[in-house]
């Protein structure tokens, strides 16, 4: 009997029992209630052990669709030939670097290959510290940049949890530019001023905390170009433009974390930092998750000046598997598929339709849907209990997530500081029919919430 056949003989209960016995309880599943045992995927669909189909609206990792044949074949063919240490020359690595750089602004021209987004962000911090000679980091509230110690230190999403390690003194937290629920809101200020006002919050932190209290200069400012864990936040106009200026004036570098939102997810630009203008160019970009369509590969892209500073230490950068032939073959196939199948156009067209219909739904249910925001296939739907107070509908949001799975066969997730934002980050092959199915199911759930509330009155 083959190993795969033996595995397939496990019942759902046996799988759960083995996981509970041998896997840490801190390794959480997507769904605690009625957990899913997924055994197969294709395109924008996942299938459980009983063959039930689920529409996947959350797997931004399987960027070009689960098990895309071109990506699978690229990996299999290379595995048949060779997989080895990346310290040997191999064409796949240099071709992959060339493909990535060709998608970047001209100044971003040097690549480091790693295995994960966490490794990429950790290396970005090392590069920034070496280049600037500084240590102070400015991060955004609710941000998450990875699971290494260096990244938990700059991730309020983690260090603000009970029992988490204390924030280091060299880390400074700026308000997330959430114009709906954040420190500064469009309820109080003109929408066109929001980016400028939130950027001034970063400048204030630099002037008062970094320079004033600590007598230091800035090492780096790091932010996701679209913040995911913070509740699908779209950065307001001029925010990055002004922040990058203030950070550089204080001696720091600007790091764009594109680990979740890169590779065309916005529908209009390959990288989300470009959304507000081609003049917004970070010093370091980190990429990961979608790069390998589920295979572990990530990268850091930076300028020649930053790379030279790192090289000057004499400490060679060595990553055994980062950029290995198989991983790079897969990443090359992902980029080729994105271009060949015009998936950015699909994200733009279907994303615009989805966002428009969700906003129409918000207009019909303003007492349940407080805000709808997004670009391309990066969308957030914020549920509330009261439109005036904006009280988060946390429990109702979790109920929607579970009901969508159990009743409709649709996988969505929720996040944000109050866990009341439904997150949509589907594979790039998500189509208009999928959008209509999602919209129909969501409208039913929202209508049920309203009905239940009135019954309680």
């Amino acid at each position: 009997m083959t190993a795969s056949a033996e595995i397939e003989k496990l019942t759902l209960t046996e799988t759960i029992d083995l996981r509970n016995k041998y896997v840490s309880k801190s390794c959480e599943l997507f769904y605690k209630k009625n957990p899913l045992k997924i055994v197969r995927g294709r395109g924008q669909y996942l299938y459980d052990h009983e063959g039930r189909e689920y529409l996947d609206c959350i797997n931004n990792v399987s960027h070009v669709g689960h098990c895309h044949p071109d990506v699978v074949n690229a990996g299999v063919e290379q595995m048949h030939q060779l997989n080895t240490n990346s310290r040997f020359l191999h064409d796949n690595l240099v071709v992959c670097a060339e493909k990535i750089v060709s998608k970047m602004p001209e100044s971003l021209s040097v690549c480091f290959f790693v295995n994960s987004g966490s490794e990429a962000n950790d290396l970005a911090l090392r590069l920034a510290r070496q280049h600037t000679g500084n240590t102070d980091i400015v991060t955004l509230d609710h941000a998450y940049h990875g699971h290494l110690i260096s990244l938990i230190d700059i991730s309020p999403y983690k260090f603000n949890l009970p029992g988490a390690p204390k924030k280091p003194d060299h880390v400074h937290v700026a308000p997330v530019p959430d114009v709906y629920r954040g420190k500064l809101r469009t309820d109080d200020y003109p929408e066109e001023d929001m980016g400028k006002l939130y950027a001034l919050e970063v400048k204030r932190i630099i002037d008062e905390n970094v320079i004033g209290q600590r007598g230091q200069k800035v090492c780096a400012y790091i932010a996701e170009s679209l913040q995911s864990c913070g509740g699908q936040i779209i950065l307001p106009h001029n925010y990055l433009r002004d922040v990058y200026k203030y950070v550089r004036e204080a001696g720091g570098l600007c790091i764009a974390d594109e680990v979740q939102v890169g590779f065309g997810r916005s529908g209009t630009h390959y990288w989300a930092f470009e959304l507000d203008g081609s003049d917004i160019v970070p010093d370091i970009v980190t990429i990961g998750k979608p790069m390998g369509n589920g295979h572990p590969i990530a990268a850091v892209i930076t300028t020649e000046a930053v790379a030279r500073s790192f090289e000057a230490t004499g400490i060679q950068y060595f990553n055994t598997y980062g950029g290995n032939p198989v991983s790079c073959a897969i990443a090359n196939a992902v980029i080729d598929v994105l271009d060949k199948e015009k998936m950015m156009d699909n994200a733009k067209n279907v994303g615009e339709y989805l966002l428009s219909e969700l906003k129409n739904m918000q207009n019909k249910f303003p007492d349940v849907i407080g805000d709808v925001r997004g670009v391309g296939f990066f969308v957030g739907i914020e549920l509330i209990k009261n439109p005036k107070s904006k009280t988060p509908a946390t429990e109702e949001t979790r109920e929607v997530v579970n009901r969508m799975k159990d009743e409709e066969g649709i996988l969505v997730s929720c996040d944000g500081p109050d866990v009341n934002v439904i997150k949509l980050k589907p594979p790039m092959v998500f189509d208009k029919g999928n959008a209509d199915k999602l919209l129909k199911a969501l409208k039913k759930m929202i209508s049920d919430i309203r009905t239940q509330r009135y019954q309680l009155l």
Side-chain angles (χ1 to χ4, degrees), residues 25 28-36 402 405:
K25 300 299 184 295
E28 289 192 343
L29 295 167
F30 262 131
Y31 300 95
K32 294 179 181 179
K33 180 183 178 182
N34 301 325
L36 287 179
N402 285 317
K405 168 180 69 76

Side-chain angles (χ1 to χ4, degrees), residues 44 63-65 263-268 337-355 375-378 426-435:
Q44 61 271 55
H63 194 56
V64 297
F263 291 88
R265 177 158 293 278
S266 73
T268 55
V337 166
L338 278 168
D339 292 344
K340 181 177 66 174
E341 299 187 14
K342 299 184 184 334
M343 289 190 179
M344 275 182 59
D345 290 344
N346 183 63
K348 177 180 182 297
N349 296 332
V350 178
E352 287 177 350
Y353 170 74
L354 177 62
L355 199 63
V375 289
F377 284 157
F378 183 91
M428 297 283 276
V429 289
F430 189 85
D431 61 31
K432 187 174 178 292
N434 301 143

